[in-house]
Amino acid sequence: MTHKEKLSAIRQQMKANGVAAYIIPSSDPHISEYLPDFYKCLYFASGFTGSAGTLVITQDFAGLWTDFRYFVQANEQLENSGYELVKLKIQHAPEYIQWLHDVLDDHAVVAFNDKLLSVLLGELLEKQLADKQIVFKSFDFLDSVWADRPALPTAPAFLIDEKYTGQSTTDKLSALRQSLNTSKASHHFISSLDDIAWLFNIRGKDVSYNPVVLSFALISAENASLFIDSAKLSTEDKDTLHKAGVQILPYDDIATSLAALPADSSVLIDPKRNCFGLYKQIPASATIIQELNPTTLFKALKNETEVENVRTAMVKDGVAMTRFFKWVEENIGKIKITELSAAEKLQGFRAEQDGFAGISFNTIGGYKGHGALPHYSATPESDSEVLAEGLFLVDSGGQYFYGTTDITRMIPMGNNTEEEKTDYTLVLKAMIEGSKTLYPKGTCGYQIDAICRRPLWDHAINYGHGTGHGIGFYLNVHEGPQVFNPTNVAIPVELGMITSIEPGIYRPGKHGVRIENLVLTIKHSTNEFNEFYAFETLTLALIDTSLIQKDLLEKSHINWLNNYHQLVYEKLSPHLSADEQAWLKEKAKAI
């Protein structure tokens, strides 16, 4: 079926069920970023491959609401689909709700699959459309149209050793129960896959890039239930979980178990990380406590074992990046290199490293104008040949059994313009400005975000994405609760958090520049003014210096870069060949 035929089939079902508007979010029952194929509804319905967006369908309009990162991509992918792009003014904001309020009649029926809607979004719909007395119903109008819909994944899951995690499941459950006691919650329902993976020290292959397994968890003072397809676990892993006091139940039993909770239960749920459909299974008499999952914060505060393992991962990743940079330089103009072939080569260098478990997201290899698309993903149709001119943006990362990496570097291919050099230098300055910042305890991400943007604001330049996101430990490459973006999120940047710093400049049709390192929050000093924190840069990889315009940098930025390159060489050189050592030493020399 074409996308227009699918849209027509959805509208027929809407008409038959008296539905005025149908919402298709980019989500699953776990409110995940990356989805199993079974839940890739936006792609099936419209052809849009971005990881963030919402389709809204009425009888006379069908639109995709998405943000700045996907405008060009969406315009291309929605052509002849029957859907129009609606540009969000604010990233991740559900602006389609106001549109529905404006176009729908009173008492109209709005439908969606309530297992794909977060609790927060479901309640927001009810609240903002309440004055129009909108009726809400749950339907999956895609299932009957999706003839070859993929099955849910069945790949094996596995437990990871405490030598990597630094903490046992027993100890994690104990800490969680203390937190529940503080919140006066008798039960805690968890749907987010990375929270569950962290809590039970379990990893899987059910989702691309994120090593998680489809599961739910229900925790009380006496019981810890893990809802999972038990066939995914070995007998040994089941025994280990049982010894930790974990009961293993079928994945599909979660709705029944929620409905069977005691009438006087007090249930802690995270409204951003649980779906509306399962939330409504909790008895109406129960007290609902809506708070951030305690495990989300626990998970973000990396322990000493995790940090040491991540440092090891950074060395491995830095070796792979060094070999990739050298390969590009030595082969450009001699063999055909494209965005896709370069990404494949980089993955190959990572795969040579001990403990490599896969890439942490789909590599963004954007040559020239493609680099101006922050979430560009090369396809066989868009794949550009990389030539000996312009800028090549490479944003990539690896999953290792002892850590997760995420790094963006710019590769100058030659004949670079003054504008490219200026943009490159300013972005580097912004990244360094954030990396060398000292900040008092209690500082939040939006404050760090502003500090990083200042060198660009001085030139009346800005970028439309956040400056940084949390990084998991052999888990999701995007994790919370901390985030460096302009939103006034009252989450302090705390000791042990690992966060990216990745400012950028994007000039559509010309080039994009983004430089990204991962940093660890560490103690700096304590005085009469406060306890001060600093960032330890974890990423270990060359930052090309050939385009730098030194007059745009202050001495502190130049010193930071020279010290960083000295550290990169010291850490990586023992793992490189003599030829690779000589190449890196020359490239990383002080400016």
Side-chain angles (χ1 to χ4, degrees):
M1 298 177 71
T2 67
H3 293 115
K4 285 185 176 179
E5 289 171 338
K6 295 171 186 176
L7 180 57
S8 176
I10 292 169
R11 282 176 166 149
Q12 289 175 23
Q13 294 179 79
M14 290 169 60
K15 187 173 182 179
N17 289 277
V19 172
Y22 189 59
I23 301 170
I24 306 176
S26 175
S27 191
D28 65 3
H30 307 277
I31 317 302
S32 305
E33 177 184 11
Y34 295 110
L35 308 175
D37 289 344
F38 181 87
Y39 288 111
K40 291 182 178 178
C41 301
L42 261 66
Y43 174 65
F44 170 77
S46 69
F48 175 65
T49 59
S51 63
T54 304
L55 298 177
V56 182
I57 303 168
T58 64
Q59 289 297 336
D60 53 13
F61 182 80
L64 167 71
W65 274 254
T66 193
D67 63 59
F68 154 83
R69 299 169 295 167
Y70 300 107
F71 288 168
V72 175
Q73 175 183 338
N75 265 323
E76 293 175 354
Q77 293 180 333
L78 295 180
E79 188 175 358
N80 297 320
S81 69
Y83 293 88
E84 296 180 24
L85 169 64
V86 183
K87 297 180 178 181
L88 287 177
K89 299 179 181 67
I90 301 174
Q91 191 175 6
H92 301 303
E95 295 170 7
Y96 59 86
I97 298 179
Q98 182 60 49
W99 181 83
L100 287 170
H101 188 280
D102 294 340
V103 303
L104 292 181
D105 295 330
D106 290 356
H107 308 288
V109 175
V110 172
F112 42 76
N113 182 345
D114 63 8
K115 290 185 178 179
L116 308 186
L117 224 62
S118 69
V119 174
L120 183 69
L121 190 51
E123 292 186 332
L124 192 62
L125 275 163
E126 291 182 337
K127 179 181 179 181
Q128 293 193 4
L129 298 179
D131 64 318
K132 304 203 73 166
Q133 298 178 285
I134 298 297
V135 177
F136 297 98
K137 293 185 178 181
S138 180
F139 289 108
D140 183 356
F141 287 150
L142 296 184
D143 203 46
S144 62
V145 181
W146 204 337
D148 55 349
R149 189 168 192 169
L152 289 176
T154 58
F158 51 94
L159 301 185
I160 56 174
D161 198 277
E162 195 175 329
K163 70 180 181 181
Y164 297 121
T165 66
Q167 194 176 10
S168 68
T169 294
T170 301
D171 289 342
K172 290 178 178 181
L173 284 169
S174 177
L176 174 57
R177 286 175 170 134
Q178 290 179 30
S179 182
L180 297 183
N181 186 55
T182 301
S183 296
K184 295 182 170 53
S186 63
H187 294 78
H188 180 31
F189 172 43
I190 313 175
S191 297
S192 43
L193 300 182
D194 59 333
D195 284 297
I196 295 168
W198 178 87
L199 181 61
F200 298 104
N201 288 335
I202 190 171
R203 300 295 188 269
K205 298 180 179 180
D206 285 353
V207 176
S208 297
Y209 315 122
N210 294 339
V212 295
V213 56
L214 295 183
S215 51
F216 298 99
L218 191 57
I219 313 297
S220 69
E222 300 80 23
N223 299 301
S225 298
L226 175 64
F227 297 81
I228 188 173
D229 178 358
S230 63
K232 295 181 177 183
L233 292 168
S234 68
T235 301
E236 181 182 359
D237 284 348
K238 291 177 189 175
D239 289 343
T240 300
L241 288 169
H242 284 311
K243 289 176 183 177
V246 179
Q247 179 185 21
I248 298 173
L249 296 173
Y251 176 73
D252 291 331
D253 280 7
I254 183 60
T256 303
S257 294
L258 288 173
L261 287 173
D264 60 349
S265 299
S266 52
V267 186
L268 189 155
I269 66 156
D270 187 330
K272 291 183 178 180
R273 296 169 177 84
N274 283 285
C275 75
F276 200 44
L278 289 174
Y279 164 70
K280 292 191 293 186
Q281 298 300 314
I282 299 172
S285 59
T287 300
I288 301 297
I289 303 169
Q290 292 195 11
E291 292 180 0
L292 178 75
N293 284 335
T295 48
T296 300
L297 180 58
F298 295 162
K299 171 166 52 65
L301 305 177
K302 307 301 188 280
N303 60 48
E304 291 182 5
T305 300
E306 289 174 316
V307 169
E308 281 306 309
N309 282 320
V310 168
R311 290 190 179 112
T312 299
M314 293 299 172
V315 171
K316 302 291 188 182
D317 213 58
V319 168
M321 293 299 299
T322 300
R323 290 174 176 159
F324 174 69
F325 296 147
K326 186 172 183 288
W327 174 83
V328 171
E329 180 179 285
E330 293 176 349
N331 288 280
I332 193 69
K334 298 178 181 177
I335 64 173
K336 183 177 181 179
I337 298 176
T338 72
E339 294 167 334
L340 286 177
S341 70
E344 183 179 358
K345 190 69 177 180
L346 176 53
Q347 183 171 341
F349 285 127
R350 283 195 167 102
E352 294 172 356
Q353 305 303 311
D354 178 61
F356 179 71
I359 57 176
S360 56
F361 57 97
N362 192 28
T363 298
I364 300 170
Y367 178 56
K368 287 194 172 181
H370 286 164
L373 310 176
H375 275 217
Y376 172 71
S377 179
T379 65
E381 293 74 29
S382 71
D383 189 24
S384 291
E385 182 175 1
V386 181
L387 304 174
E389 62 178 15
L391 292 175
F392 186 26
L393 183 155
V394 180
D395 186 350
S396 66
Q399 293 285 9
Y400 300 84
F401 292 125
Y402 35 77
T404 300
T405 69
D406 183 3
I407 174 175
T408 307
R409 289 292 186 267
M410 302 303 305
I411 306 179
M413 302 309 302
N415 297 320
N416 296 103
T417 67
E418 289 303 307
E419 183 178 61
E420 289 171 340
K421 293 176 183 178
T422 298
D423 288 350
Y424 182 90
T425 306
L426 291 177
V427 169
L428 175 59
K429 184 177 181 178
M431 192 277 292
I432 294 175
E433 190 67 26
S435 301
K436 69 183 186 67
T437 294
L438 301 183
Y439 50 97
K441 179 180 180 179
T443 296
C444 295
Y446 60 89
Q447 295 167 292
I448 302 296
D449 179 86
I451 289 169
C452 292
R453 289 178 194 267
R454 176 62 187 272
L456 303 185
W457 288 349
D458 285 344
H459 294 261
I461 296 172
N462 199 16
Y463 49 94
H465 57 75
T467 295
H469 54 84
I471 305 284
F473 174 79
Y474 183 30
L475 259 180
N476 293 12
V477 74
H478 298 138
E479 78 165 24
Q482 84 277 21
V483 63
F484 296 170
N485 71 24
T487 309
N488 187 8
V489 176
I491 300 290
V493 184
E494 299 192 32
L495 296 173
M497 288 181 168
I498 297 177
T499 317
S500 69
I501 295 182
E502 47 183 310
I505 294 176
Y506 307 97
R507 297 189 185 276
K510 297 169 72 175
H511 64 262
V513 178
R514 185 166 65 252
I515 301 174
E516 173 187 18
N517 278 347
L518 303 188
V519 296
L520 169 71
T521 299
I522 59 174
K523 288 183 179 180
H524 180 268
S525 58
T526 302
N527 55 34
E528 66 271 31
F529 300 105
N530 204 334
E531 182 176 349
F532 275 77
Y533 294 162
F535 289 131
E536 173 193 337
T537 296
L538 296 173
T539 303
L540 296 168
L542 175 74
I543 298 173
D544 193 284
T545 61
S546 64
L547 299 188
I548 292 175
Q549 296 181 329
K550 288 181 65 174
D551 61 315
L552 292 175
L553 299 179
E554 299 167 20
K555 185 176 180 181
S556 62
H557 301 113
I558 294 172
N559 289 341
W560 184 98
L561 183 62
N562 289 338
N563 290 335
Y564 175 71
H565 274 150
Q566 183 178 350
L567 177 67
V568 167
Y569 183 76
E570 289 174 357
K571 294 290 187 180
L572 299 187
S573 60
H575 308 277
L576 300 172
S577 68
D579 185 44
E580 291 165 345
Q581 287 177 358
W583 183 90
L584 179 59
K585 188 171 186 178
E586 175 64 22
K587 289 289 183 179
K589 66 183 180 182
I591 63 169

